[in-house]
Short mmCIF file of all heavy atoms in Angstrom, two decimals:
data_model
loop_
_atom_site.label_atom_id
_atom_site.label_comp_id
_atom_site.label_asym_id
_atom_site.label_seq_id
_atom_site.Cartn_x
_atom_site.Cartn_y
_atom_site.Cartn_z
N ILE A 1 169.24 191.22 29.17
CA ILE A 1 168.90 190.89 27.85
C ILE A 1 169.99 191.30 26.90
O ILE A 1 170.39 190.50 25.95
CB ILE A 1 167.59 191.58 27.48
CG1 ILE A 1 166.45 190.89 28.26
CG2 ILE A 1 167.27 191.45 25.99
CD1 ILE A 1 165.12 191.70 28.16
N LYS A 2 170.55 192.44 27.10
CA LYS A 2 171.61 192.95 26.15
C LYS A 2 172.91 192.05 26.32
O LYS A 2 173.45 191.71 25.31
CB LYS A 2 171.95 194.34 26.51
CG LYS A 2 173.01 194.99 25.63
CD LYS A 2 173.30 196.36 26.07
CE LYS A 2 174.45 196.91 25.31
NZ LYS A 2 174.95 198.18 25.78
N ASN A 3 173.29 191.76 27.56
CA ASN A 3 174.51 191.03 27.78
C ASN A 3 174.43 189.51 27.76
O ASN A 3 175.35 188.79 27.72
CB ASN A 3 175.17 191.49 29.07
CG ASN A 3 175.59 192.88 29.02
OD1 ASN A 3 175.84 193.48 28.02
ND2 ASN A 3 175.69 193.54 30.19
N GLU A 4 173.20 189.03 27.77
CA GLU A 4 172.75 187.60 27.94
C GLU A 4 173.21 186.97 29.21
O GLU A 4 173.29 185.75 29.33
CB GLU A 4 173.30 186.83 26.71
CG GLU A 4 172.63 187.38 25.43
CD GLU A 4 173.17 186.61 24.21
OE1 GLU A 4 174.03 185.72 24.36
OE2 GLU A 4 172.63 186.90 23.09
N TYR A 5 173.50 187.77 30.23
CA TYR A 5 173.76 187.20 31.57
C TYR A 5 173.64 188.41 32.53
O TYR A 5 173.65 189.54 32.13
CB TYR A 5 175.21 186.65 31.70
CG TYR A 5 176.30 187.64 31.60
CD1 TYR A 5 176.80 188.26 32.65
CD2 TYR A 5 176.84 187.93 30.32
CE1 TYR A 5 177.85 189.19 32.57
CE2 TYR A 5 177.82 188.89 30.18
CZ TYR A 5 178.32 189.48 31.30
OH TYR A 5 179.29 190.45 31.12
N GLY A 6 173.54 188.11 33.76
CA GLY A 6 173.44 189.15 34.75
C GLY A 6 172.46 188.85 35.84
O GLY A 6 171.82 187.85 35.90
N ALA A 7 172.28 189.81 36.69
CA ALA A 7 171.41 189.70 37.85
C ALA A 7 169.92 189.81 37.44
O ALA A 7 169.62 190.54 36.44
CB ALA A 7 171.74 190.74 38.85
N SER A 8 169.09 189.16 38.08
CA SER A 8 167.69 189.29 37.82
C SER A 8 167.12 190.34 38.71
O SER A 8 167.70 190.86 39.63
CB SER A 8 166.94 187.96 38.17
OG SER A 8 167.11 187.59 39.50
N GLY A 9 165.79 190.71 38.39
CA GLY A 9 165.24 191.80 39.08
C GLY A 9 164.59 191.41 40.47
O GLY A 9 164.78 190.34 40.91
N ILE A 10 163.84 192.36 40.98
CA ILE A 10 163.14 192.16 42.29
C ILE A 10 161.70 192.29 41.94
O ILE A 10 161.10 193.38 42.08
CB ILE A 10 163.56 193.24 43.28
CG1 ILE A 10 165.06 193.41 43.23
CG2 ILE A 10 163.00 193.04 44.65
CD1 ILE A 10 165.55 194.72 43.85
N PRO A 11 160.99 191.22 41.66
CA PRO A 11 159.60 191.36 41.18
C PRO A 11 158.49 191.52 42.19
O PRO A 11 157.54 192.21 41.96
CB PRO A 11 159.35 190.03 40.36
CG PRO A 11 160.28 189.01 41.04
CD PRO A 11 161.48 189.86 41.50
N VAL A 12 158.65 190.93 43.40
CA VAL A 12 157.56 190.94 44.33
C VAL A 12 157.52 192.08 45.30
O VAL A 12 156.40 192.59 45.69
CB VAL A 12 157.62 189.62 45.11
CG1 VAL A 12 156.49 189.48 46.16
CG2 VAL A 12 157.47 188.45 44.13
N ILE A 13 158.63 192.54 45.76
CA ILE A 13 158.69 193.56 46.84
C ILE A 13 158.04 194.85 46.55
O ILE A 13 157.20 195.37 47.33
CB ILE A 13 160.15 193.71 47.37
CG1 ILE A 13 160.65 192.41 48.00
CG2 ILE A 13 160.26 194.85 48.36
CD1 ILE A 13 162.10 192.39 48.34
N PRO A 14 158.27 195.35 45.29
CA PRO A 14 157.57 196.68 44.96
C PRO A 14 156.01 196.45 44.97
O PRO A 14 155.32 197.37 45.35
CB PRO A 14 158.10 197.01 43.55
CG PRO A 14 159.46 196.34 43.50
CD PRO A 14 159.29 195.12 44.23
N LEU A 15 155.63 195.29 44.55
CA LEU A 15 154.16 194.99 44.46
C LEU A 15 153.57 194.98 45.84
O LEU A 15 152.44 195.54 46.13
CB LEU A 15 153.90 193.61 43.77
CG LEU A 15 152.51 193.25 43.53
CD1 LEU A 15 151.86 194.27 42.54
CD2 LEU A 15 152.42 191.90 42.95
N ILE A 16 154.34 194.43 46.79
CA ILE A 16 153.83 194.56 48.23
C ILE A 16 153.81 195.98 48.74
O ILE A 16 152.90 196.45 49.45
CB ILE A 16 154.75 193.67 49.09
CG1 ILE A 16 154.64 192.20 48.75
CG2 ILE A 16 154.48 193.92 50.61
CD1 ILE A 16 155.59 191.27 49.38
N PHE A 17 154.80 196.76 48.39
CA PHE A 17 154.79 198.15 48.74
C PHE A 17 153.58 198.90 48.18
O PHE A 17 152.95 199.69 48.86
CB PHE A 17 156.11 198.89 48.22
CG PHE A 17 157.33 198.50 48.98
CD1 PHE A 17 158.53 198.87 48.47
CD2 PHE A 17 157.24 197.78 50.17
CE1 PHE A 17 159.75 198.51 49.21
CE2 PHE A 17 158.49 197.44 50.86
CZ PHE A 17 159.67 197.85 50.35
N TYR A 18 153.21 198.62 46.92
CA TYR A 18 152.13 199.22 46.27
C TYR A 18 150.80 198.85 46.94
O TYR A 18 149.85 199.58 46.99
CB TYR A 18 152.04 198.94 44.78
CG TYR A 18 153.17 199.42 43.98
CD1 TYR A 18 153.64 198.72 42.85
CD2 TYR A 18 153.94 200.53 44.37
CE1 TYR A 18 154.73 199.21 42.12
CE2 TYR A 18 154.98 201.02 43.69
CZ TYR A 18 155.38 200.38 42.52
OH TYR A 18 156.48 200.77 41.88
N LEU A 19 150.70 197.61 47.36
CA LEU A 19 149.50 197.14 48.07
C LEU A 19 149.36 197.88 49.42
O LEU A 19 148.22 198.31 49.76
CB LEU A 19 149.57 195.61 48.39
CG LEU A 19 149.39 194.74 47.19
CD1 LEU A 19 149.64 193.26 47.55
CD2 LEU A 19 147.89 194.88 46.64
N ILE A 20 150.48 198.04 50.10
CA ILE A 20 150.40 198.86 51.39
C ILE A 20 150.02 200.25 51.14
O ILE A 20 149.18 200.84 51.83
CB ILE A 20 151.75 198.75 52.13
CG1 ILE A 20 152.04 197.35 52.57
CG2 ILE A 20 151.81 199.63 53.28
CD1 ILE A 20 153.40 197.06 53.06
N VAL A 21 150.54 200.88 50.11
CA VAL A 21 150.31 202.27 49.74
C VAL A 21 148.85 202.38 49.34
O VAL A 21 148.04 203.30 49.76
CB VAL A 21 151.17 202.81 48.61
CG1 VAL A 21 150.71 204.08 48.10
CG2 VAL A 21 152.57 202.92 49.13
N GLY A 22 148.25 201.47 48.54
CA GLY A 22 146.90 201.47 48.14
C GLY A 22 145.92 201.36 49.24
O GLY A 22 144.87 201.90 49.23
N MET A 23 146.35 200.63 50.31
CA MET A 23 145.45 200.51 51.46
C MET A 23 145.56 201.64 52.41
O MET A 23 144.68 201.89 53.20
CB MET A 23 145.73 199.23 52.15
CG MET A 23 145.32 197.95 51.48
SD MET A 23 145.56 196.45 52.34
CE MET A 23 147.32 196.44 52.64
N GLY A 24 146.68 202.35 52.40
CA GLY A 24 146.96 203.30 53.55
C GLY A 24 146.90 204.79 53.12
O GLY A 24 147.10 205.61 53.99
N ILE A 25 146.62 205.09 51.82
CA ILE A 25 146.65 206.56 51.57
C ILE A 25 145.54 206.89 50.56
O ILE A 25 145.12 206.04 49.78
CB ILE A 25 148.19 206.87 50.92
CG1 ILE A 25 148.33 208.43 50.96
CG2 ILE A 25 148.28 206.34 49.58
CD1 ILE A 25 149.80 208.77 50.67
N LYS A 26 145.19 208.10 50.60
CA LYS A 26 144.32 208.64 49.63
C LYS A 26 144.96 209.90 49.01
O LYS A 26 145.37 210.74 49.73
CB LYS A 26 142.92 208.99 50.22
CG LYS A 26 142.14 207.80 50.65
CD LYS A 26 140.79 208.20 51.07
CE LYS A 26 139.98 206.95 51.41
NZ LYS A 26 138.62 207.29 51.65
N PHE A 27 145.11 209.89 47.72
CA PHE A 27 145.75 211.07 47.05
C PHE A 27 144.70 212.14 46.77
O PHE A 27 143.98 211.99 45.73
CB PHE A 27 146.49 210.56 45.80
CG PHE A 27 147.66 209.74 46.10
CD1 PHE A 27 147.60 208.39 46.12
CD2 PHE A 27 148.93 210.36 46.29
CE1 PHE A 27 148.74 207.63 46.41
CE2 PHE A 27 150.04 209.62 46.56
CZ PHE A 27 149.89 208.28 46.61
N SER A 28 144.60 213.11 47.48
CA SER A 28 143.72 214.24 47.25
C SER A 28 142.27 213.79 46.96
O SER A 28 141.64 214.18 45.98
CB SER A 28 144.15 215.12 46.13
OG SER A 28 145.47 215.58 46.40
N GLY A 29 141.84 212.84 47.73
CA GLY A 29 140.42 212.38 47.54
C GLY A 29 140.32 211.25 46.55
O GLY A 29 139.27 210.71 46.33
N VAL A 30 141.42 210.83 45.91
CA VAL A 30 141.41 209.75 44.98
C VAL A 30 141.38 208.45 45.74
O VAL A 30 142.17 208.28 46.72
CB VAL A 30 142.58 209.82 44.04
CG1 VAL A 30 142.63 208.56 43.08
CG2 VAL A 30 142.57 211.09 43.20
N ASN A 31 140.57 207.52 45.31
CA ASN A 31 140.55 206.21 45.93
C ASN A 31 141.77 205.54 45.91
O ASN A 31 142.56 205.45 44.96
CB ASN A 31 139.38 205.40 45.26
CG ASN A 31 139.04 204.16 46.09
OD1 ASN A 31 139.63 203.92 47.16
ND2 ASN A 31 138.04 203.48 45.59
N GLY A 32 142.14 204.76 46.97
CA GLY A 32 143.42 204.02 47.06
C GLY A 32 143.41 202.92 45.99
O GLY A 32 144.56 202.55 45.56
N LEU A 33 142.33 202.36 45.67
CA LEU A 33 142.29 201.36 44.55
C LEU A 33 142.67 201.83 43.26
O LEU A 33 143.31 201.14 42.41
CB LEU A 33 140.92 200.66 44.51
CG LEU A 33 140.57 199.75 45.69
CD1 LEU A 33 139.10 199.25 45.53
CD2 LEU A 33 141.46 198.62 45.89
N PHE A 34 142.36 203.10 42.98
CA PHE A 34 142.77 203.74 41.65
C PHE A 34 144.27 203.86 41.67
O PHE A 34 144.89 203.60 40.68
CB PHE A 34 142.09 205.04 41.57
CG PHE A 34 142.50 205.85 40.31
CD1 PHE A 34 142.01 205.36 39.07
CD2 PHE A 34 143.32 206.90 40.33
CE1 PHE A 34 142.41 206.05 37.91
CE2 PHE A 34 143.72 207.60 39.21
CZ PHE A 34 143.24 207.15 38.01
N VAL A 35 144.85 204.33 42.77
CA VAL A 35 146.32 204.41 42.88
C VAL A 35 146.96 203.11 42.74
O VAL A 35 147.97 202.96 41.99
CB VAL A 35 146.72 205.17 44.18
CG1 VAL A 35 148.22 205.10 44.32
CG2 VAL A 35 146.17 206.62 44.16
N LEU A 36 146.39 202.11 43.39
CA LEU A 36 146.90 200.80 43.29
C LEU A 36 146.88 200.22 41.87
O LEU A 36 147.77 199.60 41.39
CB LEU A 36 146.12 199.82 44.25
CG LEU A 36 146.47 198.37 44.21
CD1 LEU A 36 147.95 198.23 44.69
CD2 LEU A 36 145.62 197.50 45.12
N GLY A 37 145.79 200.51 41.12
CA GLY A 37 145.68 200.10 39.71
C GLY A 37 146.72 200.78 38.84
O GLY A 37 147.36 200.11 38.03
N ILE A 38 146.96 202.04 39.02
CA ILE A 38 147.96 202.83 38.25
C ILE A 38 149.33 202.23 38.56
O ILE A 38 150.12 201.95 37.64
CB ILE A 38 147.92 204.31 38.59
CG1 ILE A 38 146.62 204.90 38.14
CG2 ILE A 38 149.12 205.06 37.93
CD1 ILE A 38 146.35 204.87 36.61
N MET A 39 149.66 201.98 39.81
CA MET A 39 150.94 201.47 40.16
C MET A 39 151.13 199.98 39.67
O MET A 39 152.22 199.59 39.32
CB MET A 39 151.17 201.51 41.63
CG MET A 39 151.28 202.96 42.15
SD MET A 39 152.18 204.14 41.12
CE MET A 39 153.84 203.39 41.18
N LEU A 40 150.03 199.23 39.60
CA LEU A 40 150.12 197.93 39.10
C LEU A 40 150.42 197.89 37.67
O LEU A 40 151.24 197.06 37.17
CB LEU A 40 148.75 197.16 39.37
CG LEU A 40 148.75 195.64 39.01
CD1 LEU A 40 149.74 194.88 39.87
CD2 LEU A 40 147.30 195.21 39.30
N ILE A 41 149.83 198.80 36.92
CA ILE A 41 150.15 198.91 35.50
C ILE A 41 151.64 199.32 35.29
O ILE A 41 152.32 198.72 34.40
CB ILE A 41 149.18 199.93 34.84
CG1 ILE A 41 147.81 199.40 34.73
CG2 ILE A 41 149.70 200.37 33.41
CD1 ILE A 41 146.78 200.46 34.35
N PHE A 42 152.18 200.26 36.11
CA PHE A 42 153.51 200.63 36.09
C PHE A 42 154.40 199.35 36.31
O PHE A 42 155.42 199.19 35.69
CB PHE A 42 153.80 201.76 36.98
CG PHE A 42 155.19 202.18 37.07
CD1 PHE A 42 155.78 202.93 36.06
CD2 PHE A 42 155.99 201.85 38.17
CE1 PHE A 42 157.13 203.31 36.20
CE2 PHE A 42 157.32 202.29 38.33
CZ PHE A 42 157.89 202.93 37.18
N HIS A 43 154.08 198.69 37.39
CA HIS A 43 154.84 197.49 37.84
C HIS A 43 154.90 196.41 36.70
O HIS A 43 155.95 195.95 36.40
CB HIS A 43 154.21 196.92 39.09
CG HIS A 43 154.86 195.71 39.62
ND1 HIS A 43 156.12 195.69 40.21
CD2 HIS A 43 154.53 194.38 39.51
CE1 HIS A 43 156.47 194.47 40.55
NE2 HIS A 43 155.52 193.66 40.11
N ILE A 44 153.73 196.15 36.11
CA ILE A 44 153.71 195.06 35.01
C ILE A 44 154.51 195.65 33.83
O ILE A 44 155.20 194.78 33.16
CB ILE A 44 152.25 194.86 34.65
CG1 ILE A 44 151.54 194.07 35.79
CG2 ILE A 44 152.20 194.02 33.39
CD1 ILE A 44 150.07 193.85 35.65
N SER A 45 154.48 196.96 33.50
CA SER A 45 155.24 197.45 32.41
C SER A 45 156.79 197.34 32.73
O SER A 45 157.50 196.90 31.79
CB SER A 45 154.88 198.91 32.20
OG SER A 45 153.56 199.06 31.80
N CYS A 46 157.14 197.58 33.87
CA CYS A 46 158.58 197.54 34.26
C CYS A 46 159.12 196.08 34.29
O CYS A 46 160.24 195.82 33.89
CB CYS A 46 158.89 198.26 35.43
SG CYS A 46 158.82 200.06 35.38
N GLN A 47 158.27 195.21 34.79
CA GLN A 47 158.66 193.82 34.98
C GLN A 47 158.56 193.00 33.70
O GLN A 47 159.42 192.15 33.52
CB GLN A 47 157.79 193.15 36.09
CG GLN A 47 157.94 193.80 37.44
CD GLN A 47 159.23 193.44 38.06
OE1 GLN A 47 159.83 192.45 37.81
NE2 GLN A 47 159.79 194.42 38.85
#
């Protein structure tokens, strides 16, 4: 945006990672869907 040219980002791969994490882990009893929701908000903010 600043230079008006350059490389684009990597939009899909982190989202796939977050889906895998949401399905495969529980953070101290927190539901994986809650973690997935938080990471989805972070992803949308960054992207």
Side-chain angles (χ1 to χ4, degrees):
I1 291 169
K2 181 182 175 191
N3 297 336
E4 297 181 356
Y5 67 91
S8 61
I10 312 162
V12 178
I13 295 173
L15 188 60
I16 293 171
F17 290 167
Y18 298 149
L19 287 171
I20 293 170
V21 169
M23 290 185 299
I25 197 167
K26 290 187 176 185
F27 290 92
S28 302
V30 177
N31 192 357
L33 290 176
F34 178 74
V35 173
L36 180 61
I38 296 296
M39 296 316 299
L40 185 61
I41 291 170
F42 176 73
H43 178 74
I44 290 171
S45 297
C46 287
Q47 295 289 328

